[in-house]
Amino acid sequence: MAATGSIINGGVTRLALAAPGCPTCGASVEGVRRYAAFTQVQALPETIDRMYAKFGRKLDMFVSQMFLTEELLTTSFNFFSKKLRPGPLAGKHNQSIIWERGNAMMEVQQRITRFRDEFVVPFEDSLVRLARFLDNPGILKKPRSAFKIRYDFLYYRCRLITLEDASQLCRYITKLGQSTQHSSTLAEGLRMLIKEQALKNIKALEIRISDCNSLNLKRLEVELRLAQVCFHMLCRFLDTDSGVDVKASLRRVALLCQRYPDTAGNLYRSYRTIKAYVDGGPAPKRLYDVYGNETRGLWRDLGKHKTGNLAYCVYDHPYSTSTFPNCPECGKEVDAPPPREPIDYNSFLHEDDFLAAMMKKT
């Protein structure tokens, strides 16, 4: 028995556990209570593989529902805006339909959080405890899965779509507010709600970014940082300080995109678009489209996880080799070009030498 109290000997490997019978005499141990732990550990790789496949399918399903709702909000905006009434007697009517529209994404968010809390979090937490209990990396390594963070991130993506739609609605109501006090008050209340929720999501994303950094989830870190900058841009529209060091965050994004071109590098176009706006360029029509379309491929492929070929990268991220040629979270690392040193043009101006040369010519 290992010093930690594990019933699995520290020298036993997964290969040894794959033996069909008693490790001493070779007899079948199926149904023998004494060897129940061995038979359960034998099934661990297959169980983990199947759960990751299920998590991927569910994630893909929720992403599809999110995009469907986002498309519904986009295509119905003009029709919805015509239902708003400018008169002071339309107060309850306007509040009611705005509340209904604001909750359009609520059902998707609830499904995401429910599945995350009931299945993803308990499973991943159980794996961590089991790995600590077995204390044998040959049987089970401490998992570094990204699913828990990805389900969190999917929730924040839903919030970004909702708040961006609310921001667009707020600008429309402000125009109505030029003629009625009620519309002006409604727009101000909506503006305060957007500001509060955007700042709340920015703080939550900062925690998830730190988690990605510690788990070496390169692509997911880039996705989170770009989403955080999008929330910052919402605050910017409202003339509110978000507290985000945008320039430092975008420098980190650029570095990860260059160093991991197969994964984080797929979001480089989104980075360029956001960077151009931060530097004073024109604002994109829809913030979510800046990076949302760039992420569809990976999230869809996570739903195509094929069992039977579960592998772990150098950072212990699990993935199916039948679905991905390399780890979809980090990929192959390449040497990033060193940052360019600022040029001191004064060093090329030798005034004394120039004057001396001119004096010789004269």
Side-chain angles (χ1 to χ4, degrees):
M1 184 177 293
T4 57
S6 170
I7 59 174
I8 303 298
N9 186 281
V12 177
T13 64
R14 188 177 298 169
L15 181 62
L17 288 170
C22 172
T24 302
C25 65
S28 175
V29 297
E30 184 177 358
V32 179
R33 184 180 181 87
R34 180 180 180 181
Y35 293 103
F38 284 91
T39 56
Q40 290 174 4
V41 173
Q42 273 184 315
L44 261 181
E46 181 181 358
T47 301
I48 294 172
D49 198 10
R50 289 181 179 276
M51 289 302 292
Y52 285 150
K54 179 178 181 179
F55 293 166
R57 289 194 300 270
K58 281 288 187 179
L59 198 64
D60 180 40
M61 182 188 73
F62 291 139
V63 169
S64 298
Q65 293 174 358
M66 179 189 66
F67 279 124
L68 183 63
T69 306
E70 188 265 345
E71 183 179 1
L72 177 63
L73 289 173
T74 301
T75 56
S76 66
F77 183 83
N78 290 334
F79 174 77
F80 174 82
S81 60
K82 293 178 182 179
K83 296 168 64 176
L84 294 171
R85 303 171 186 171
L89 299 179
K92 291 186 177 180
H93 168 77
N94 289 346
Q95 290 179 1
S96 176
I97 62 176
I98 289 174
W99 177 266
E100 181 181 354
R101 183 175 179 85
N103 288 332
M105 193 69 76
M106 185 63 67
E107 184 176 354
V108 180
Q109 293 175 191
Q110 290 176 345
R111 290 174 181 173
I112 293 170
T113 54
R114 187 183 304 117
F115 185 81
R116 174 193 177 276
D117 294 341
E118 293 181 2
F119 296 98
V120 180
V121 173
F123 179 76
E124 292 197 349
D125 288 349
S126 296
L127 283 185
V128 171
R129 291 194 297 268
L130 182 59
R132 188 183 303 117
F133 174 75
L134 293 176
D135 192 27
N136 191 329
I139 299 174
L140 178 64
K141 296 181 179 180
K142 183 179 179 180
R144 300 169 73 87
S145 170
F147 275 113
K148 182 163 61 175
I149 303 178
R150 282 207 171 274
Y151 274 87
D152 282 342
F153 179 39
L154 190 57
Y155 172 86
Y156 298 126
R157 291 177 68 175
C158 292
R159 296 305 301 153
L160 178 59
I161 293 173
T162 300
L163 293 182
E164 185 175 7
D165 182 76
S167 178
Q168 185 180 5
L169 184 61
C170 184
R171 289 192 292 270
Y172 180 82
I173 296 176
T174 301
K175 297 178 182 179
L176 297 178
Q178 296 175 358
S179 57
T180 64
Q181 179 63 33
H182 167 74
S183 297
S184 178
T185 303
L186 186 61
E188 182 60 28
L190 194 58
R191 189 178 296 109
M192 292 178 61
L193 180 63
I194 296 170
K195 171 185 173 181
E196 176 187 348
Q197 290 297 314
L199 292 174
K200 180 179 179 181
N201 289 312
I202 284 173
K203 292 181 180 179
L205 284 169
E206 190 65 37
I207 298 174
R208 299 297 173 264
I209 289 171
S210 178
D211 293 339
C212 287
N213 195 17
S214 63
L215 294 174
N216 291 299
L217 299 171
K218 311 301 182 181
R219 173 175 178 134
L220 187 51
E221 180 182 345
V222 168
E223 293 186 60
L224 289 167
R225 287 186 180 277
L226 292 179
Q228 188 184 53
V229 174
C230 286
F231 280 112
H232 159 80
M233 292 160 73
L234 280 178
C235 292
R236 182 173 171 177
F237 293 155
L238 301 174
D239 296 324
T240 300
D241 182 16
S242 67
V244 178
D245 189 345
V246 176
K247 291 185 178 180
S249 186
L250 290 179
R251 282 197 300 268
R252 171 69 175 171
V253 168
L255 177 63
L256 291 175
C257 288
Q258 292 174 358
R259 185 164 290 173
Y260 300 92
D262 295 338
T263 53
N266 292 324
L267 294 156
Y268 189 70
R269 187 190 67 86
S270 301
Y271 155 76
R272 290 286 300 274
T273 304
I274 292 177
K275 180 70 163 54
Y277 171 68
V278 170
D279 290 342
K285 292 182 179 180
R286 287 188 62 85
L287 294 176
Y288 185 77
D289 291 341
V290 169
Y291 82 99
N293 292 331
E294 301 292 316
T295 66
R296 294 193 185 199
L298 172 68
W299 292 69
R300 188 183 301 113
D301 289 342
L302 288 172
K304 300 176 182 178
H305 180 109
K306 296 181 180 179
T307 59
N309 294 280
L310 186 65
Y312 295 85
C313 72
V314 294
Y315 295 117
D316 293 333
H317 303 146
Y319 69 98
S320 172
T321 56
S322 297
T323 309
F324 300 99
N326 297 294
C327 175
E329 299 296 346
C330 56
K332 293 183 178 180
E333 182 176 3
V334 299
D335 293 332
R340 298 179 61 181
E341 296 292 336
I343 300 175
D344 182 11
Y345 291 98
N346 292 327
S347 63
F348 298 98
L349 300 178
H350 303 288
E351 185 176 357
D352 294 339
D353 295 342
F354 175 75
L355 291 175
M358 293 297 295
M359 290 296 291
K360 289 181 180 180
K361 289 184 178 181
T362 58

